[in-house]
């Protein structure tokens, strides 16, 4: 069977948010674009189609309306402190500064031009464990979730005035880059739907192929060196197509790939009740008033685990446990008020832009989510007593690790500390809860020092948690034009990388850890940068003449 031959000005490898933005911007500038994606048409948009949709933005009109005083200087100070860049992280640092300087016009206002709006209050994750993370709230939630944004941009692409200059090919899996005289001049791979090989000739190739965290073998290969060994069970919170194949291809031709050991995973993953692929995990926003325990039901400490302050530390603490899972123990009242699941799928009131339903969930508790998870997710267990709960926990793991009297003693000790009253709350989890409740955005989702065994608050709930992958913070090293760089620091002619493939800019814009919410904006900004550079002739190539 003959090979499929394709020709274009710009070939974009990957149909996630970064690839979509790059395609729109390239069409705006008169380029002919071929977008190739390994997935089916129904998942066009990639992870952005299913993400919750929080954007880290600094010094925005929304912040000012909320009387939050921010500035580029304060934002950069927070970013650099949290990132812990090394002296060699020149391009990640430059990308971080560029992001902060340009995120309002290039993301906030750019999205508004496409009819995308934000929830009226900024949120405040990653406050910092001991010192500041985000000094002030910067997490801007998309009204309609990331799914609404992604669909608006796909519609803009499909209805573009220059739509005739765009070709979309799905289930086209790129495996190799084609070079000539040291320049990238195309790519080739397998058209799975047609069961044929294909080769693309292009003046420029833009890699928007995502990271490595969909491939558990690569996750383990690039595991942080100073951490204990990777857990035996890690759930996949992105997609198997994020397999790092293009990272290998870039390395083979001399491009620099850095910081693949810097993952942005989450400590509270559960098995998806209706998985779209093998080993799919959901990332919970774990309940702050729950008791987070080890495999035996013993509270993890001496520093209790509580979300909202340092996600990387939570992951590090969890992988130090002797089993590949931990537990959260709570009651129905805590779960109704505090539990959330990341992603559009499990936030239907925000996704569908139903304000009344959203406010009802806030005021009365999210009963839909309680039913969905306790009835359909095997990691959620419900019981009327600690003894019954312990029995179910052991049955789920096939062990006798959880001792009912020990678990009850741990719960009662925590409840007794609450009962002493606020002047005597010298437990670090209670101090953190007090701080959370001092901010309106957190107070509405945090219980007022809720005892677990309190009468009328049951039944009891235990949730088994695994580490779940999400994003790769490292990637292909790029300059501010999104050009892939080689070991000498020079651009690889004809080759660009954007979004997660580029570590969201420079091969690792976040450094060691994320302030949360930078990924979607960085996909937009790196895609814009590549399109500008190509249209302005930053590589020195001339567009091909494409017929037909």
């Amino acid at each position: 069977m003959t090979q499929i031959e394709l020709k274009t000005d710009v070939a974009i490898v990957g149909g996630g948010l970064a690839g979509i933005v790059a395609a729109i911007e390239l069409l705006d500038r008169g380029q002919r674009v071929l977008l190739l994606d390994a997935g089916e048409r129904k998942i066009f948009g990639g992870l952005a189609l299913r993400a919750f949709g929080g954007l880290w933005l600094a010094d925005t009109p929304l912040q000012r309306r909320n009387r939050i005083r921010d500035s580029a200087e304060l934002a950069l100070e927070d970013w650099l402190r949290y990132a812990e860049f090394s002296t060699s992280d020149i391009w990640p640092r430059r990308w971080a500064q560029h992001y902060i300087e340009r995120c309002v016009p290039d993301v906030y206002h750019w999205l508004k031009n496409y009819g995308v709006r934000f929830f009226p209050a900024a949120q405040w994750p990653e406050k910092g464990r001991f010192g500041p993370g985000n000094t002030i709230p910067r997490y801007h939630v998309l009204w309609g979730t990331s799914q609404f944004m992604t669909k608006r941009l796909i519609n803009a692409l499909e209805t573009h005035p220059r739509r005739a200059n765009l070709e979309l090919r799905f289930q086209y899996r790129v495996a190799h880059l084609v070079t000539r005289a040291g320049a990238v001049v195309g790519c080739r791979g397998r058209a799975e739907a047609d069961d044929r090989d294909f080769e693309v000739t292009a003046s420029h190739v833009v890699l928007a192929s995502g990271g490595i965290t969909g491939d558990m073998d690569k996750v383990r290969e690039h595991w942080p060196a100073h951490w204990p060994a990777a857990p035996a069970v890690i759930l996949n919170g992105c997609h198997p197509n994020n397999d790092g194949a293009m990272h290998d291809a870039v390395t083979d031709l001399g491009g620099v790939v850095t910081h693949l050991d810097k993952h942005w995973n989450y400590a509270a993953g559960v098995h998806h009740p209706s998985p779209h692929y093998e080993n799919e995990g959901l990332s919970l926003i774990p309940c702050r008033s729950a008791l987070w325990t080890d495999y035996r039901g013993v509270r993890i400490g001496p520093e209790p685990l509580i979300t909202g302050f340092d996600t990387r530390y939570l992951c590090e603490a969890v992988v130090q446990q002797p089993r590949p899972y931990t537990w959260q123990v709570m009651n129905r009242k805590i779960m109704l008020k505090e539990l959330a699941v990341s992603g559009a799928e499990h936030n239907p009131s925000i996704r569908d832009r139903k304000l009344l339903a959203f406010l009802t969930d806030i005021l009365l508790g999210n009963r839909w989510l309680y039913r969905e998870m306790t009835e359909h997710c095997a990691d959620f267990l419900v019981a009327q007593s600690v003894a019954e709960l312990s029995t179910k926990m052991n049955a789920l793991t096939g062990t006798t690790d959880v001792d009912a009297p020990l678990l009850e003693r741990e719960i009662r000790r925590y409840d007794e500390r609450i009962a002493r009253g606020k002047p005597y709350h010298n437990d670090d989890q209670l101090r953190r809860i007090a701080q959370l409740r001092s901010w309106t955005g957190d107070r509405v989702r945090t219980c007022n020092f809720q005892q677990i065994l309190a009468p009328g608050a049951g039944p009891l709930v235990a949730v088994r948690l695994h580490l779940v992958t999400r994003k790769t913070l490292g990637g292909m090293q790029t300059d501010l034009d999104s050009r892939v760089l080689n070991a000498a620091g020079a651009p690889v002619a004809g080759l660009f990388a954007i979004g997660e493939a580029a570590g969201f800019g420079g091969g690792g814009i976040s450094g060691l850890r994320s302030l949360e919410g930078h990924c979607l904006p960085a996909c937009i900004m790196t895609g814009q940068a590549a399109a500008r550079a190509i249209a302005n002739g930053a590589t020195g190539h001339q567009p091909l003449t494409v017929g037909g």
Side-chain angles (χ1 to χ4, degrees), residues 93-126:
R93 184 187 290 263
R94 288 180 182 176
W95 258 107
Q97 185 165 354
H98 174 73
Y99 178 114
I100 290 165
E101 291 172 349
R102 296 295 308 173
C103 65
V104 173
D106 292 354
V107 178
Y108 186 90
H109 292 305
W110 188 85
L111 285 175
K112 285 205 164 190
N113 288 336
Y114 287 97
V116 177
R117 297 294 180 263
F118 297 95
F119 191 76
Q123 302 303 303
W124 197 3
E126 296 302 296

Side-chain angles (χ1 to χ4, degrees), residues 306-360:
I306 182 168
T307 193
F309 296 91
D310 190 328
T311 297
R312 180 181 169 84
Y313 168 72
L314 291 182
C315 292
E316 187 172 3
V318 163
V319 301
Q320 290 173 354
Q321 302 304 311
R323 295 281 195 276
Y325 58 87
T326 58
W327 295 99
Q328 273 212 321
V329 179
M330 67 197 83
N331 57 40
R332 181 178 182 270
K333 186 173 182 180
I334 292 171
M335 185 174 166
L336 283 173
K337 189 172 186 67
E338 296 188 1
L339 184 75
V341 179
S342 181
E345 184 178 6
H346 289 86
N347 290 277
S349 59
I350 300 176
R351 180 196 65 212
D352 300 335
R353 296 154 62 93
K354 295 182 177 178
L355 181 59
L356 181 59
F358 171 74
L359 294 175
T360 300

Side-chain angles (χ1 to χ4, degrees), residues 33-343:
V33 178
L34 169 64
L35 191 150
L36 307 162
D37 193 82
E40 298 177 80
R41 174 64 187 249
K42 66 182 180 181
I43 61 170
F44 187 24
L47 190 59
L49 193 65
R50 300 175 58 198
F52 176 64
L55 280 62
W56 189 97
L57 302 170
D59 197 18
T60 65
L62 188 149
Q63 285 177 300
R64 289 192 284 277
R65 285 197 297 272
N66 282 267
R67 299 182 180 179
I68 298 168
R69 298 175 63 182
D70 200 1
S71 68
E73 293 77 17
L74 179 61
L76 183 61
E77 179 183 325
D78 288 351
W79 192 301
L80 295 180
R81 179 178 53 246
Y82 222 51
E84 297 183 31
F85 288 130
S86 71
T87 55
S88 62
D89 288 330
I90 296 170
W91 287 110
R93 184 187 290 263
R94 288 180 182 176
W95 258 107
Q97 185 165 354
H98 174 73
Y99 178 114
I100 290 165
E101 291 172 349
R102 296 295 308 173
C103 65
V104 173
D106 292 354
V107 178
Y108 186 90
H109 292 305
W110 188 85
L111 285 175
K112 285 205 164 190
N113 288 336
Y114 287 97
V116 177
R117 297 294 180 263
F118 297 95
F119 191 76
Q123 302 303 303
W124 197 3
E126 296 302 296
K127 296 176 179 65
R129 184 176 162 209
F130 295 131
N134 283 306
T135 300
I136 43 85
R138 297 190 176 103
Y139 193 73
H140 295 60
V141 176
L142 292 166
W143 184 234
T145 72
S146 181
Q147 184 178 112
F148 178 81
M149 172 191 69
T150 305
K151 288 183 175 180
R152 294 287 293 194
L153 295 179
I154 290 174
N155 181 67
L157 193 61
E158 294 281 24
T159 59
H160 197 283
R162 296 192 177 105
R163 177 62 177 82
N165 286 355
L166 172 69
E167 185 174 0
L168 301 173
R169 297 268 179 147
F170 297 98
Q171 294 182 277
Y172 271 57
R173 185 177 297 275
V174 175
H176 305 283
L177 298 172
V178 178
T179 61
R180 186 170 62 242
V184 174
V185 295
C187 58
R188 53 189 172 87
R190 187 74 175 171
E192 296 175 349
D194 299 325
D195 196 26
R196 296 168 65 188
D197 292 335
F198 69 87
E199 182 163 328
V200 178
T201 301
S203 292
H204 315 288
V205 174
V206 180
L207 300 179
S209 48
I212 69 168
T213 49
D215 184 327
M216 293 304 114
D217 290 337
K218 277 197 166 63
V219 168
R220 296 177 190 281
E221 177 187 351
H222 297 284
W223 194 248
H226 68 284
W227 282 15
V233 178
I234 303 175
L235 301 180
N236 186 347
C238 47
H239 194 279
N241 286 344
N242 283 30
D243 60 5
M246 290 298 95
H247 294 74
D248 295 338
V250 167
T251 300
D252 290 344
L253 61 82
V256 175
V257 176
T258 66
H259 301 316
L260 292 185
D261 61 332
K262 291 179 173 60
H263 313 153
W264 194 243
N265 301 327
Y266 292 102
V270 297
H271 292 85
H272 197 298
S274 304
H276 303 83
Y277 48 82
E278 186 178 359
N279 196 42
E280 182 178 6
L282 292 174
S283 176
L284 305 185
I285 312 302
C287 297
R288 287 125 170 198
S289 300
L291 209 62
W292 204 324
T293 80
D294 67 9
Y295 71 101
R296 301 167 297 167
V298 175
R299 188 184 190 192
I300 295 173
E303 182 184 344
L305 302 189
I306 182 168
T307 193
F309 296 91
D310 190 328
T311 297
R312 180 181 169 84
Y313 168 72
L314 291 182
C315 292
E316 187 172 3
V318 163
V319 301
Q320 290 173 354
Q321 302 304 311
R323 295 281 195 276
Y325 58 87
T326 58
W327 295 99
Q328 273 212 321
V329 179
M330 67 197 83
N331 57 40
R332 181 178 182 270
K333 186 173 182 180
I334 292 171
M335 185 174 166
L336 283 173
K337 189 172 186 67
E338 296 188 1
L339 184 75
V341 179
S342 181

Side-chain angles (χ1 to χ4, degrees), residues 461-477:
V461 180
V463 186
R464 183 180 62 176
L465 305 174
H466 290 93
L467 196 75
V468 58
T469 64
R470 196 62 170 175
K471 308 173 190 81
T472 313
L473 295 186
M476 303 160 200
Q477 192 170 89

